[in-house]
Amino acid sequence: MIIAIDGPAASGKSTVAKEIAKRLKISYLDTGAMYRALTWKALQTKVDLSDEMAFAKLANDAKISFSESLIDGRLHIKTYLNDIDVTKEIRLPRVSNSVSIVAKVPAVRKAMVKIQRELAVGKDVVAEGRDIGTCVFPEAEHKFFLFASTEERARRRCVELKDKGHDIKVSSLEKEIISRDTIDSTRPNSPLVKARDAHVIDTTEKNAEEVIEEVLHVIKGEN
Ligand code: DC
């Protein structure tokens, strides 16, 4: 079984997808982390952000893997690029600010989608991203599209980053989110768009548990 959870930046996908994976005892796939890992590498190696050929090479040479552990009842995921743990680095603001540039390159997407499909072979998976229900797993049994107001998403990101020791203004997070949404949803290659058969949830005024319950109701066919 594949459960696809798509939506714009900070719409609550990760929190919900991880908890669904935990409760249903299935695998979790964070596809955004893969684009972030490549972006981190591009920044590390000082690849010019307009050099699409270099991104393509990076993507084709990349080995991306994940490990999962339960800590205090919560699912924690580590992301590895070529066996290096990049879990913390990929959440840095400089990565967030550039990731959409890397993710819109067709050769990068092709390489990442191939890995995403391989990672799901023979497994039950909840996968989150932008194009899961439309492109990566169009045959997914369950598709969800989460969204929330820009203000609320920026506020959530701000709290999340504060917890990790980064003090970034809500206004600059709002700008970053709007810029990413624009690039992600206007790129020609598998843009962020709701799948026709997705169940849409506006998370603006809902807490995580309410969204999780709604997702579980739909999966169990109780709606
Ligand atoms: O979900 P996230 O914020 O970690 O994703 C980071 C970026 O990666 C996002 O701005 C666009 C890109 N992305 C994508 O293009 N396709 C996906 N399936 C997942 C993420």
Side-chain angles (χ1 to χ4, degrees):
M1 172 179 66
I2 302 280
I3 301 168
I5 303 189
D6 289 303
S11 52
K13 300 184 302 291
S14 296
T15 310
V16 171
K18 273 190 220 162
E19 196 56 28
I20 297 291
K22 192 189 92 184
R23 294 192 196 179
L24 298 182
K25 297 190 172 57
I26 63 177
S27 300
Y28 164 71
L29 178 59
D30 179 358
T31 61
M34 301 172 71
Y35 293 99
R36 285 173 176 274
L38 285 182
T39 306
W40 173 79
K41 182 76 178 167
L43 293 170
Q44 274 303 97
T45 48
K46 298 198 171 26
V47 167
D48 188 311
L49 283 185
S50 62
D51 191 347
E52 296 198 358
M53 297 272 277
F55 291 156
K57 177 158 172 36
L58 218 66
N60 287 319
D61 293 345
K63 178 185 161 209
I64 298 179
S65 55
F66 299 97
S67 70
E68 291 187 4
S69 57
L70 262 184
I71 304 172
D72 296 333
R74 285 181 65 189
L75 190 60
H76 286 255
I77 309 293
K78 283 192 172 179
T79 306
Y80 302 87
L81 178 78
N82 301 333
D83 297 320
I84 298 167
D85 182 353
V86 294
T87 311
K88 284 205 181 105
E89 290 77 358
I90 62 171
R91 303 291 159 192
L92 291 172
R94 65 193 178 99
V95 172
S96 301
N97 287 331
S98 305
V99 62
S100 291
I101 309 281
V102 177
K104 74 183 168 96
V105 177
V108 167
R109 303 202 68 78
K110 192 169 171 215
M112 292 303 104
V113 170
K114 181 169 179 279
I115 300 175
Q116 288 155 18
R117 290 181 180 148
E118 283 166 3
L119 287 171
V121 170
K123 287 187 193 159
D124 290 329
V125 177
V126 50
E128 64 147 299
R130 303 291 187 286
D131 60 341
I132 308 301
T134 52
C135 164
V136 185
F137 300 117
E139 307 301 328
E141 284 85 344
H142 301 285
K143 298 182 187 178
F144 297 89
F145 189 87
L146 269 49
F147 74 97
S149 71
T150 313
E151 296 76 17
E152 175 60 15
R153 291 188 287 137
R155 193 196 62 76
R156 287 179 193 163
R157 249 311 122 80
C158 186
V159 172
E160 227 176 83
L161 287 167
K162 249 196 194 120
D163 278 353
K164 291 180 184 157
H166 304 285
D167 199 7
I168 300 173
K169 284 204 187 101
V170 176
S171 57
S172 67
L173 288 168
E174 236 179 271
K175 270 192 209 139
E176 177 225 301
I177 283 175
I178 292 170
S179 152
R180 264 203 300 146
D181 283 355
T182 306
I183 303 174
D184 294 346
S185 51
T186 57
R187 67 181 176 225
N189 196 311
S190 51
L192 164 69
V193 55
K194 182 189 93 58
R196 261 187 305 112
D197 47 352
H199 178 100
V200 180
I201 306 179
D202 178 353
T203 71
T204 311
E205 310 232 328
K206 291 185 159 91
N207 64 35
E209 189 54 36
E210 289 172 313
V211 182
I212 292 160
E213 287 296 324
E214 186 167 338
V215 168
L216 287 173
H217 276 302
V218 174
I219 292 172
K220 291 174 187 163
E222 292 169 353
N223 264 14

